[in-house]
Structure formats: structure tokens, C-alpha cells
Amino acid sequence: AQKVTQAQTEISVVEKEDVTLDCVYETRDTTYYLFWYKQPPSGELVFLIRRNSFDEQNEISGRYSWNFQKSTSSFNFTITASQVVDSAVYFCALKISSGSARQLTFGSGTQLTVLP
Amino acid sequence: KAGVTQTPRYLIKTRGQQVTLSCSPISGHRSVSWYQQTPGQGLQFLFEYFSETQRNKGNFPGRFSGRQFSNSRSEMNVSTLELGDSALYLCASSSATGSSYEQYFGPGTRLTVT
């Protein structure tokens, strides 16, 4: 079975600080996909990034960056120079490609609060 | 392009009643998935439809059902509501079924069962 663990339940930072959200996953499949979603207070899950298991190249997109390491089964997300608008719940998710269980398996989420 | 829309946004029902929630996917998307979000259980997968066929189902009782129409719009139904069914129900669409396709979520329907 698949599992995603986000050990950080809540994080609070002051604006302009960098913050890293941790994600550890478990799967026996060799082909899988990892995702990060953001859920602001409005409730809608906003897609941020997708990574497949064969692509360990880290990515930077503006203030966001992702660090994927298969050796430690981690897919961490960093926000540089955080802003108040970054305050939201962030979810890491996993999807495998084999069998019937191809739905997203979510972690429990990390509530990020950015203080002005 | 319009995003995923869900109606209604808020709903209050009484235990024992049934409810139908609606989801319109992004234009051109043929896969619709439903998720339940509660404070205790987090985000849990309900089912996925593609081309009017249920492709995948989560571990929920038979009171939870769904369907998809030829225009890809989907509905989910919960019969004999229980207090524990109070949750945010999220619908997500993707252009095709398969693990590599990212899913785009709607704003959700917040269901309260009293």
C-alpha cells in the first residue's frame, strides 16, 4: 500500500523567511508520480508540481523549489522569501501507475502560516 | 478556460436523508475523481469516472455512489446520511485517466449533516 507522511503539522514563519515542507513517501512500485498541492482557506486544492519517479532533477519555479531524493523517499518543497499569501495547507501526494489503485494518496498536510 | 465547478457549495442535511452533489470538469477533460476531506481522516479517494465508466473506487460503503454523463459532468450521491458524512467533498478533473496526469480540483461542496 502507498503512504505519504508529512510530519510537520503546522509551521509558522515571519514574512521573507525561507521555509521547507517535508514529505516522505512509501511505495513498492518503481513507477510513480509525486505531487504538491496548496489549499488556501477557500478550500480549492491548487496544483503546484508533478514529478515522476524517473526524474530526480530538482526544480525551481520562482520562489518555489522542490528537492526529490529517491534514496530517502523524500520530496521536499521550499518556499523562498515567504509571503503572507503563501499561508495555506500544503499537501504532498503520491500516485502509482500499476494496478487499480491509481488514485492520489495524500499526506495529512502541513498548515503554513506566514506572519507579516 | 473555466476551472472545475461544483454545486452546491454548501449544503445542510439531516441524518437519514440523501444528497446529490454535482461536478463539471474543465472543458475537454474526461476523467473526474471525487475525494472526501475531513479533519480526522484527511483527504480520501472516493471514486474515479472516465468516459461514463467507473474506473476506480475507494474504500467507502455502498451508500456512496456516483455517475458520469456523456458530457463528462459527474454527480455523486450519498444515501442515508450519517453524521460522519459531514465533510468537504472535492471533485477533480484530468484530461485522461492514468497516473501521470495531474488533477485539477474544484472548490468543493461543504456538506453538514445534523
Side-chain angles (χ1 to χ4, degrees):
Chain A
Q2 288 64 243
K3 186 178 179 182
V4 177
T5 301
Q6 294 179 255
Q8 304 153 309
T9 305
E10 296 181 27
I11 298 178
S12 184
V13 299
V14 177
E15 204 169 21
K16 296 184 183 176
E17 285 185 357
D18 298 347
V19 57
T20 295
L21 309 182
D22 298 333
C23 173
V24 174
Y25 62 92
E26 294 176 32
T27 179
R28 292 182 178 178
D29 281 59
T30 56
T31 302
Y32 50 89
Y33 300 85
L34 295 164
F35 302 79
W36 274 96
Y37 283 87
K38 172 184 178 179
Q39 187 176 41
S42 61
E44 182 173 344
L45 280 167
V46 178
F47 167 73
L48 295 176
I49 191 172
R50 179 195 69 207
R51 261 285 175 269
N52 71 55
S53 53
F54 298 110
D55 183 5
E56 286 193 73
Q57 185 175 9
N58 294 319
E59 181 169 335
I60 298 174
S61 176
R63 295 186 299 108
Y64 297 164
S65 62
W66 291 270
N67 184 353
F68 175 32
Q69 292 192 339
K70 283 180 75 172
S71 60
T72 56
S73 298
S74 65
F75 185 43
N76 297 336
F77 171 40
T78 297
I79 302 174
T80 303
S82 60
Q83 300 175 2
V84 173
V85 293
D86 295 328
S87 297
V89 181
Y90 289 83
F91 290 94
C92 180
L94 166 72
K95 195 191 279 192
I96 63 172
S97 66
S98 64
S100 61
R102 294 181 298 173
Q103 70 271 18
L104 284 166
T105 297
F106 285 92
S108 54
T110 297
Q111 171 72 62
L112 173 64
T113 302
V114 181
L115 303 169
Chain B
K1 219 181 218 185
V4 178
T5 58
Q6 293 187 244
T7 57
R9 293 292 311 279
Y10 302 91
L11 206 49
I12 300 176
K13 289 286 188 179
T14 303
R15 195 170 42 182
Q17 289 185 316
Q18 75 165 17
V19 67
T20 299
L21 312 182
S22 180
C23 170
S24 292
I26 292 171
S27 177
H29 283 193
R30 297 169 61 194
S31 171
V32 173
S33 297
W34 289 89
Y35 292 82
Q36 181 196 64
Q37 185 177 25
T38 60
Q41 300 298 317
L43 279 154
Q44 293 185 289
F45 171 75
L46 281 157
F47 25 66
E48 177 194 10
Y49 286 88
F50 180 77
S51 294
E52 301 178 66
T53 302
Q54 188 179 88
R55 298 297 296 265
N56 200 2
K57 189 177 192 305
N59 189 24
F60 278 81
R63 300 186 297 106
F64 292 81
S65 63
R67 59 177 176 168
Q68 186 180 34
F69 302 96
S70 58
N71 62 358
S72 295
R73 190 178 69 85
S74 177
E75 289 181 346
M76 69 162 279
N77 184 77
V78 187
S79 62
T80 319
L81 283 165
E82 300 177 359
L83 296 178
D85 297 332
S86 294
L88 179 66
Y89 290 89
L90 292 161
C91 167
S93 77
S94 61
S95 56
T97 189
S99 304
S100 63
Y101 295 93
E102 58 265 24
Q103 294 178 321
Y104 295 90
F105 285 79
T109 294
R110 187 165 295 281
L111 171 65
T112 301
V113 182
T114 62

